[in-house]
Amino acid sequence: MSQNLGLKLKQTQQLNQHLQQSLRILQMSGLELEREVDDWLQDNPLLERAESSEDESGDNEFTQVSAALPKGKQVGGEDAEDVWATIAEEDDFNAFLHKQVCEHPMSGQEAARVHILIDFLDDQGYFTDSLSDVLDHTPLEWMLEENDLQEALDLLQTFDPPGVGAANLAESLMLQLMRLPASPARQLAARIIHIGLDDLGRSRQQNIARFRKQFPEADAETLQTALDLIGKLNPYPAYGFASAEPTAYVQPDVWVKETKSGWTVAGNEQAWPKVRINSEYCQLLKEAGEISPEWKEKLSEARQKIDSLELRKSTVLRLAEYIVEKQEDFFVFGEIGLTPMLIKDAASELGVAESTVSRAVNHKYLSCPRGVFALRYFFTQAVSAEDGEGVSQSAVKAVIAQLIEGENKLKPYSDEALSSLLKQQGIDIARRTVAKYREALNIPSAHQRKP
């Protein structure tokens, strides 16, 4: 036997504890950060809250908490704590899905990919983005592949509630049907969804008459049972679940206002916890002479935590300024003015890693005259245009909504007609893509929009 010895060079990146803490703080929402700072203050006596100046606590006070409560009822003190405890106990759709990952047999890498896809689901439980969109909006260092994501999506579609992770209504209903016992009625229901979903109306008798003509080989009882099966399916998998947080309690991290010199960005001081070194304790330590190693470590920890807060604030503000610069048309014209923007482009412009930008947009909000928007909202994929520059998906959806709003209600536009009208405006997308965007906007088909 012979032994072969060799050297293998491998480049790895390890983050020190200070940087790990800074990245964790950057990813936190405002509520999570408040709880984290409270833990710091209890653990380290050298830290204390810095009092806010009077001008910071006036005009920018929030009343969203009371907005979540019944009108005429003011809740404070222990009552308020009870109210928020009740809200926190409600089942959240995404959390419900994340908990299921450990219940299914899969590798660690597969589980990580499923977790990623869960966070890309829309409010209805649909996966309306393409897998290439996911790749474009996740850091390169995650080493994701489209084939692997497709396998993860197949796994996610086996989760409860049935129909989750579907691209549209038809696919969601088909996924739900496949969970039911095989029967001639189930087979016919699948054919109806596949071929005649747009023809389904509210009248049971009209549906029976219509589909008897389309499926003459099916007997009346099977047809009625098939229609009953479809009627019992859930069009929105996320229906009945609470959102992750009470939307009325969203507190913006930054303000965007229009001034004489253009659009400006300012931090919402109420959203940034302020801590400082306790000067009295520091003075006592100096008077005591030599400082023990334990107190030196506490002092170092306190400074690092303050630095982490400052880094979080500066990163979010820089990112917000980049968004305002690139998406200025949005603040003037609304959603139709959104331009394509990717996380990797922002990372390159700001000189940081893509994962840093991904953390910075997580649970951060921007308030402007048009309302409150998540920072992630402004990162949109491009749709091809005739001039080659591309238009954001959100802008295309806004155009589709405008076209449908202004259509003749007696002769609503078909998806094919909408595709043609978009091409006249320089937006070249296929009929199937129009249908996908229309469904994402919760707009019925042309047949269903008729009075």
Side-chain angles (χ1 to χ4, degrees):
M1 294 180 63
S2 62
Q3 291 183 337
N4 293 325
L5 299 177
L7 292 175
K8 182 178 180 181
L9 295 178
K10 182 179 180 181
Q11 188 177 27
T12 61
Q13 184 181 34
Q14 291 185 337
L15 304 181
N16 61 42
Q17 188 174 359
H18 185 196
L19 186 54
Q20 287 178 353
Q21 175 182 263
S22 297
L23 292 176
R24 190 171 64 85
I25 296 303
L26 179 61
Q27 186 164 340
M28 288 181 177
S29 66
L31 291 174
E32 291 171 336
L33 185 60
E34 280 292 343
R35 290 193 288 266
E36 181 76 9
V37 170
D38 286 339
D39 291 341
W40 292 353
L41 297 175
Q42 293 180 16
D43 181 63
N44 193 333
L46 294 181
L47 281 175
E48 66 176 4
R49 284 193 183 272
E51 296 181 1
S52 301
S53 59
E54 293 182 2
D55 60 330
E56 291 175 356
S57 57
D59 296 336
N60 294 340
E61 251 181 46
F62 288 89
T63 57
Q64 287 95 329
V65 174
S66 59
L69 303 172
K71 290 185 178 180
K73 182 178 180 182
Q74 296 297 322
V75 179
E78 294 180 358
D79 291 336
E81 292 179 6
D82 292 340
V83 169
W84 289 115
T86 302
I87 293 175
E89 289 172 359
E90 294 182 0
D91 288 331
D92 160 49
F93 182 66
N94 277 31
F96 177 70
L97 293 173
H98 283 301
K99 289 178 181 177
Q100 289 185 63
V101 174
C102 61
E103 300 172 4
H104 292 257
M106 61 182 77
S107 67
Q109 289 182 330
E110 288 173 332
R113 297 174 194 131
V114 173
H115 280 301
I116 292 170
L117 292 181
I118 290 173
D119 290 332
F120 274 87
L121 298 178
D122 65 15
D123 293 338
Q124 298 170 347
Y126 290 159
F127 179 73
T128 56
D129 294 304
S130 67
L131 295 177
S132 59
D133 290 341
V134 177
L135 293 176
D136 287 333
H137 287 80
T138 49
L140 289 175
E141 54 260 39
W142 289 4
M143 303 293 289
L144 298 176
E145 297 288 343
E146 190 164 332
N147 290 338
D148 294 333
L149 285 178
Q150 182 59 59
E151 293 178 1
L153 181 59
D154 294 339
L155 287 169
L156 175 58
Q157 291 177 348
T158 66
F159 283 24
D160 289 326
V164 67
N168 49 46
L169 174 61
E171 185 180 4
S172 180
L173 297 180
M174 292 292 286
L175 289 172
Q176 295 176 54
L177 271 183
M178 294 305 103
R179 303 275 190 103
L180 302 177
S183 68
R186 191 193 79 168
Q187 184 178 6
L188 180 58
R191 294 176 63 192
I192 292 174
I193 292 172
H194 182 66
I195 300 173
L197 184 60
D198 290 343
D199 295 328
L200 274 172
R202 296 183 179 180
S203 171
R204 178 181 177 83
Q205 295 304 320
Q206 288 181 0
N207 286 333
I208 292 175
R210 183 179 296 116
F211 290 112
R212 273 182 178 172
K213 295 178 181 178
Q214 289 194 28
F215 306 102
E217 72 283 0
D219 60 77
E221 183 180 355
T222 302
L223 178 57
Q224 290 183 28
T225 305
L227 291 173
D228 288 340
L229 287 177
I230 295 174
K232 294 177 182 178
L233 301 178
N234 182 8
Y236 307 120
Y239 179 76
F241 288 84
S243 59
E245 294 178 356
T247 55
Y249 195 63
V250 168
Q251 181 168 242
D253 297 87
V254 294
W255 304 102
V256 176
K257 299 179 180 180
E258 187 176 16
T259 64
K260 294 180 179 179
S261 58
W263 293 93
T264 60
V265 175
N268 175 16
E269 297 301 329
Q270 300 297 313
W272 308 104
K274 298 180 183 63
V275 295
R276 64 187 178 189
I277 302 293
N278 187 307
S279 57
E280 294 183 6
Y281 275 104
C282 285
Q283 185 62 35
L284 290 174
L285 290 175
K286 288 181 181 179
E287 294 174 357
E290 186 176 350
I291 302 176
S292 66
E294 291 80 7
W295 282 109
K296 285 183 179 180
E297 184 177 353
K298 288 290 185 184
L299 183 59
S300 177
E301 286 179 359
R303 288 171 176 163
Q304 287 179 4
K305 286 175 168 54
I306 293 173
D307 290 344
S308 296
L309 291 177
E310 289 300 320
L311 179 61
R312 180 184 189 273
K313 181 177 180 179
S314 64
T315 303
V316 173
L317 285 175
R318 287 178 63 207
L319 181 58
E321 289 170 351
Y322 173 82
I323 289 173
V324 171
E325 178 186 352
K326 296 296 182 181
Q327 302 287 11
E328 183 175 356
D329 284 348
F330 165 82
F331 300 100
V332 178
F333 303 108
E335 188 176 28
I336 200 169
L338 282 172
T339 59
M341 190 172 73
L342 300 177
I343 283 179
K344 62 181 180 182
D345 296 333
S348 176
E349 182 73 20
L350 299 179
V352 297
E354 289 182 41
S355 56
T356 300
V357 176
S358 183
R359 288 182 172 95
V361 300
N362 187 50
H363 301 303
K364 311 298 188 305
Y365 297 89
L366 172 156
S367 177
C368 67
R370 293 190 174 275
V372 179
F373 299 86
L375 296 190
R376 191 177 293 277
Y377 166 82
F378 296 95
F379 291 88
T380 60
Q381 181 73 3
V383 174
S384 62
E386 289 182 355
D387 59 9
E389 292 186 359
V391 184
S392 80
Q393 290 182 358
S394 297
V396 174
K397 290 178 182 178
V399 174
I400 291 174
Q402 286 185 358
L403 289 173
I404 292 176
E405 184 178 356
E407 69 185 359
N408 183 344
K409 303 306 179 185
L410 298 176
K411 296 181 179 179
Y413 294 128
S414 66
D415 293 336
E416 189 67 42
L418 289 171
S419 177
S420 299
L421 290 171
L422 288 170
K423 287 179 181 177
Q424 293 176 16
Q425 300 189 29
I427 304 172
D428 187 11
I429 59 175
R431 180 195 62 79
R432 292 181 62 184
T433 306
V434 171
K436 171 186 171 183
Y437 291 169
R438 174 179 55 74
E439 290 169 356
L441 292 167
N442 295 328
I443 297 176
S445 63
H447 173 78
Q448 294 172 318
R449 295 202 303 274
K450 288 183 178 181

